[in-house]
Amino acid sequence: MNKTDLIDHIAKHADISKAAAGRALDALVGAVKTTLKKGGSVTLVGFGTFAVGKRAARTGRNPRTGASIKIKAAKVPKFRPGKGLKDAIN
């Protein structure tokens, strides 16, 4: 499922226009991005939690030359599924 399919699904099940569904989806994604950028987390009960994780600095290898390179520490978005989502899949 891609973004267009998701907008169509939201519009059909929420009985709203595709334009309104698109704006709602964009607002949700924007809110999650903004919260994660500030270092917070977003919890949707029954669905899951979006949070920021930290990846430590490490040494890697250039696959083409085999030379060692330093990879900087980074913040990465993470998602932990909730019980409701796990139960729906199994």
Side-chain angles (χ1 to χ4, degrees):
M1 178 179 271
N2 61 26
K3 185 175 180 179
T4 303
D5 296 336
L6 187 56
I7 289 171
D8 291 342
H9 183 82
I10 292 169
K12 181 179 175 186
H13 286 78
D15 195 28
I16 57 176
S17 70
K18 288 183 183 180
R23 288 191 304 272
L25 181 60
D26 289 341
L28 172 70
V29 171
V32 171
K33 282 183 187 178
T34 302
T35 303
L36 293 180
K37 197 171 192 176
K38 292 178 181 177
S41 65
V42 177
T43 301
L44 302 172
V45 176
F47 184 70
T49 302
F50 296 92
V52 178
K54 293 179 181 169
R55 185 177 295 154
R58 62 195 190 280
T59 302
R61 293 218 175 265
N62 181 334
R64 187 171 289 178
T65 64
S68 293
I69 56 173
K70 292 181 182 177
I71 302 171
K72 292 190 231 177
K75 294 179 188 175
V76 292
K78 295 191 175 195
F79 177 75
R80 192 173 74 235
K83 184 177 183 325
L85 182 59
K86 289 178 186 177
D87 291 346
I89 292 173
N90 291 323

